[in-house]
Every structure is written in structure tokens, then in C-alpha cells.
Amino acid sequence: MAEISKSLQCKLTGSAADVRAFHAVVQRWPAYCVDIGAQERHAEVKNGPSGGSAMAVLIGMSPEVKGKNFELASEKVTIGRNAANMIVLNHPTVSGRHCLISRVGKQYTITDLGSTNGTRVNSQEIREYTLRPKDLIQVGAIEFLFDADPSEIELPADATPAPEVVVAEGPATAPISFTSLSPFGPRTRDRGTAWYVVLTVAGVAALLALGWFLYSVFTAG
């Protein structure tokens, strides 16, 4: 910009070198504008309009995007493999224009754009879905966690409350109702004792039958 201002200050009646410098800057001006426009378009995804912070963010979960955060600062954020998208995912399972996340007021809606491998939210394939904090989004095989401050998000009227996850302290223990995984129910000492009695009676009966058989053989002879 300093070079442009300096060149604009030169007079047409100035030296030939000044005129040539002015024309060189003017010829580079369209490319300069395109480059700045691309930088600003991609900066909106990261920093939001005018450098502000976004109310919602996509947190990379898959190895390809692990550790990356994509702020949803624009009203419409396209996701896909093509370079024209706001969020570019160079992955074979992602379509050129895969899906769109749009913001209306305090609601974020994700819409599949006819992708080949589909868009899923919490393992369910969707066409359009109103997002809530902690939703797991799958764009092809790439996973993101949608996160936002709950106070900044307006849920639809028919939305069911999200399940609360409670982290217990100390070692994990099985619930009382899980004392046995056998389909025949838990084994008890009383049932084990009954089996021992049945086997003992059967053994005694077998011995008596064998003794009676031998007695019959010897007396018959």
C-alpha cells in the first residue's frame, strides 16, 4: 500500500521512471486484490468477522483434524474437498461440496449438500439437523465435535434434553443388578447345594442297582 500511495503522488509530467513505476503497480493491483480477498474469506472461519470470536466451534476429533478448531463465525460455512469451501477437508470420503452449517439467530443448522458418503450427527444420517452443544458430526469419515456456550445457543422447541454425563470418582464397580451376566440368572449357594444332593442320590441309586445286579448273577449260578 505504501508503494501505491507513493506512486499515486507522482505527476504525469514527472520523470519516465516514475511513470513506469506507476504503471507497474497498477498492473499488479487486480492480483493483489484477489489475494487479499481470499485471505479475508478464510480469516472469517478462524477469527470471525472483524477479528471477533465465534459463538460456536467445530473441534477436530479424527486424526486428520486432531488438535484443530474451526470457528463458525460466518452465517454460512461450507465444508468440502474443493478449495472454494470455508473449511477444506482433503479426504477421499469427503465430497467437493459436502455440507453446510448455517446460523440463523442463535441456532446452528447443518445441511447435507447431496454428498456421496453422507453427513451424520451422533451416528444418524441426516439431511438437515439443528445442532446442539456436544453433538458429534461426521463429514464422510472425518469427525468433529460441535461445541458452544449453551447460553449462546437456542435449541428448537421440540428438542429433548441432552443426557448428562457424570464422572464418578474412585475405581469403577459393577452395579448391583449386574451380579451375573448369565441368561440363567445368578448362581446361588442354595442352588449349588441342591445339585450336590441330586448327584449324591443318583450315585447311591446307581451303586444299589449294581449291587443288586451282581447278587442276582451269583445267586442264579
Side-chain angles (χ1 to χ4, degrees):
M1 295 297 295
E3 184 181 359
I4 294 173
S5 300
K6 180 179 178 181
S7 298
L8 289 176
Q9 292 174 359
C10 73
K11 298 179 180 180
L12 293 179
T13 57
S15 65
D18 289 339
V19 174
R20 285 196 298 270
F22 174 77
H23 284 294
V25 172
V26 171
Q27 290 175 358
R28 293 200 303 270
W29 176 251
Y32 178 80
C33 292
V34 172
D35 182 61
I36 292 297
Q39 293 178 10
E40 291 179 348
R41 177 170 59 84
H42 288 286
E44 285 185 355
V45 177
K46 182 177 181 181
N47 300 321
S50 301
S53 60
M55 292 188 297
V57 63
L58 293 182
I59 302 174
M61 303 296 289
S62 297
E64 295 84 354
V65 290
K66 192 72 172 178
K68 296 181 180 179
N69 292 347
F70 301 89
E71 293 187 358
L72 304 176
S74 300
E75 292 185 353
K76 292 185 178 181
V77 176
T78 55
I79 304 175
R81 199 171 63 248
N82 291 345
N85 292 286
M86 302 293 286
I87 299 178
V88 179
L89 301 176
N90 188 15
H91 194 272
T93 64
V94 178
S95 298
R97 280 176 52 86
H98 198 104
C99 61
L100 166 72
I101 296 180
S102 56
R103 184 186 74 224
V104 178
K106 292 186 177 182
Q107 284 191 351
Y108 287 81
T109 302
I110 184 169
T111 305
D112 184 79
L113 299 178
S115 63
T116 301
N117 294 308
T119 303
R120 292 174 174 79
V121 178
N122 301 326
S123 301
Q124 299 295 322
E125 187 166 357
I126 59 93
R127 293 296 181 188
E128 187 172 277
Y129 180 86
T130 301
L131 295 167
R132 68 177 69 198
K134 309 304 180 185
D135 276 341
L136 185 65
I137 300 173
Q138 292 175 269
V139 180
I142 307 299
E143 292 186 345
F144 298 93
L145 181 70
F146 174 79
D147 197 16
D149 185 350
S151 64
E152 298 290 342
I153 296 295
E154 180 182 349
L155 297 178
D158 58 348
T160 56
E164 182 179 0
V165 179
V166 179
V167 180
E169 298 181 358
T173 58
I176 298 176
S177 59
F178 284 15
T179 53
S180 175
L181 296 178
S182 171
F184 303 104
R187 296 182 179 181
T188 62
R189 291 185 178 182
D190 293 339
R191 182 173 296 182
T193 302
W195 277 106
Y196 288 132
V197 172
V198 171
L199 292 175
T200 301
V201 171
V204 171
L207 290 175
L208 291 175
L210 179 61
W212 177 257
F213 174 75
L214 295 176
Y215 174 77
S216 299
V217 172
F218 285 116
T219 56

